[in-house]
mmCIF file of all heavy atoms in Angstrom:
data_model
loop_
_atom_site.group_PDB
_atom_site.id
_atom_site.type_symbol
_atom_site.label_atom_id
_atom_site.label_comp_id
_atom_site.label_asym_id
_atom_site.label_seq_id
_atom_site.Cartn_x
_atom_site.Cartn_y
_atom_site.Cartn_z
ATOM 1 N N ILE A 135 88.694 82.614 101.763
ATOM 2 C CA ILE A 135 89.932 82.046 101.298
ATOM 3 C C ILE A 135 90.666 81.359 102.636
ATOM 4 O O ILE A 135 90.806 81.904 103.534
ATOM 5 C CB ILE A 135 90.825 83.108 100.694
ATOM 6 C CG1 ILE A 135 90.117 83.545 99.418
ATOM 7 C CG2 ILE A 135 92.257 82.475 100.394
ATOM 8 C CD1 ILE A 135 90.766 84.757 98.733
ATOM 9 N N PRO A 136 90.925 79.986 102.357
ATOM 10 C CA PRO A 136 91.617 79.317 103.495
ATOM 11 C C PRO A 136 92.814 79.938 104.225
ATOM 12 O O PRO A 136 92.862 80.017 105.484
ATOM 13 C CB PRO A 136 91.918 77.948 102.843
ATOM 14 C CG PRO A 136 91.037 77.718 101.690
ATOM 15 C CD PRO A 136 90.928 79.171 101.166
ATOM 16 N N GLN A 137 93.724 80.479 103.444
ATOM 17 C CA GLN A 137 94.917 81.001 104.020
ATOM 18 C C GLN A 137 95.182 82.402 103.373
ATOM 19 O O GLN A 137 95.237 82.587 102.099
ATOM 20 C CB GLN A 137 96.180 80.237 103.778
ATOM 21 C CG GLN A 137 96.166 78.916 104.497
ATOM 22 C CD GLN A 137 96.351 79.080 106.012
ATOM 23 O OE1 GLN A 137 97.299 79.959 106.316
ATOM 24 N NE2 GLN A 137 95.597 78.486 106.787
ATOM 25 N N VAL A 138 95.081 83.457 104.166
ATOM 26 C CA VAL A 138 95.399 84.884 103.755
ATOM 27 C C VAL A 138 96.506 85.376 104.481
ATOM 28 O O VAL A 138 96.458 85.650 105.671
ATOM 29 C CB VAL A 138 94.086 85.810 103.859
ATOM 30 C CG1 VAL A 138 94.490 87.146 103.506
ATOM 31 C CG2 VAL A 138 92.947 85.144 103.253
ATOM 32 N N LEU A 139 97.648 85.545 103.830
ATOM 33 C CA LEU A 139 98.730 86.153 104.408
ATOM 34 C C LEU A 139 98.829 87.633 104.096
ATOM 35 O O LEU A 139 98.882 88.036 102.910
ATOM 36 C CB LEU A 139 100.098 85.409 103.821
ATOM 37 C CG LEU A 139 101.398 86.144 104.036
ATOM 38 C CD1 LEU A 139 101.694 86.239 105.593
ATOM 39 C CD2 LEU A 139 102.531 85.568 103.196
ATOM 40 N N ALA A 140 98.791 88.419 105.162
ATOM 41 C CA ALA A 140 98.864 89.868 104.939
ATOM 42 C C ALA A 140 100.265 90.358 105.308
ATOM 43 O O ALA A 140 100.725 89.984 106.435
ATOM 44 C CB ALA A 140 97.807 90.634 105.687
ATOM 45 N N VAL A 141 100.831 91.185 104.636
ATOM 46 C CA VAL A 141 102.039 91.862 104.898
ATOM 47 C C VAL A 141 101.860 93.248 105.200
ATOM 48 O O VAL A 141 101.400 94.005 104.337
ATOM 49 C CB VAL A 141 103.083 91.670 103.772
ATOM 50 C CG1 VAL A 141 104.474 92.222 104.010
ATOM 51 C CG2 VAL A 141 103.329 90.153 103.425
ATOM 52 N N ALA A 142 102.311 93.762 106.433
ATOM 53 C CA ALA A 142 102.008 95.120 106.742
ATOM 54 C C ALA A 142 103.069 95.431 107.967
ATOM 55 O O ALA A 142 103.014 94.720 108.979
ATOM 56 C CB ALA A 142 100.674 95.417 107.241
ATOM 57 N N ARG A 143 103.749 96.521 107.878
ATOM 58 C CA ARG A 143 104.690 97.010 108.969
ATOM 59 C C ARG A 143 104.678 98.501 109.006
ATOM 60 O O ARG A 143 104.348 99.181 108.109
ATOM 61 C CB ARG A 143 106.047 96.379 108.694
ATOM 62 C CG ARG A 143 106.604 96.884 107.386
ATOM 63 C CD ARG A 143 108.117 96.611 107.213
ATOM 64 N NE ARG A 143 109.056 97.461 107.965
ATOM 65 C CZ ARG A 143 109.329 98.643 107.679
ATOM 66 N NH1 ARG A 143 108.798 99.371 106.646
ATOM 67 N NH2 ARG A 143 110.056 99.403 108.469
ATOM 68 N N GLY A 144 105.067 98.844 110.196
ATOM 69 C CA GLY A 144 105.170 100.316 110.517
ATOM 70 C C GLY A 144 104.078 100.808 111.362
ATOM 71 O O GLY A 144 102.867 100.439 111.210
ATOM 72 N N ILE A 145 104.388 101.681 112.430
ATOM 73 C CA ILE A 145 103.478 102.102 113.371
ATOM 74 C C ILE A 145 102.247 102.768 112.679
ATOM 75 O O ILE A 145 101.087 102.604 113.085
ATOM 76 C CB ILE A 145 104.202 103.075 114.328
ATOM 77 C CG1 ILE A 145 105.310 102.297 115.029
ATOM 78 C CG2 ILE A 145 103.260 103.591 115.340
ATOM 79 C CD1 ILE A 145 105.002 101.028 115.808
ATOM 80 N N PRO A 146 102.342 103.638 111.666
ATOM 81 C CA PRO A 146 101.188 104.113 110.961
ATOM 82 C C PRO A 146 100.210 103.194 110.581
ATOM 83 O O PRO A 146 99.103 103.446 110.422
ATOM 84 C CB PRO A 146 101.809 104.873 109.821
ATOM 85 C CG PRO A 146 103.164 105.221 110.091
ATOM 86 C CD PRO A 146 103.774 104.020 110.854
ATOM 87 N N LYS A 147 100.596 101.907 110.369
ATOM 88 C CA LYS A 147 99.671 100.749 109.948
ATOM 89 C C LYS A 147 99.023 100.046 111.128
ATOM 90 O O LYS A 147 98.133 99.201 110.945
ATOM 91 C CB LYS A 147 100.230 99.910 109.057
ATOM 92 C CG LYS A 147 100.585 100.494 107.724
ATOM 93 C CD LYS A 147 100.929 99.458 106.709
ATOM 94 C CE LYS A 147 101.187 100.085 105.355
ATOM 95 N NZ LYS A 147 101.439 99.185 104.291
ATOM 96 N N ALA A 148 99.342 100.364 112.454
ATOM 97 C CA ALA A 148 98.898 99.635 113.569
ATOM 98 C C ALA A 148 97.428 99.627 113.616
ATOM 99 O O ALA A 148 96.624 98.525 113.867
ATOM 100 C CB ALA A 148 99.449 100.133 114.739
#
Side-chain angles (χ1 to χ4, degrees):
I135 296 173
Q137 292 290 314
V138 178
L139 166 62
V141 180
R143 61 171 281 286
I145 302 302
K147 291 193 175 185

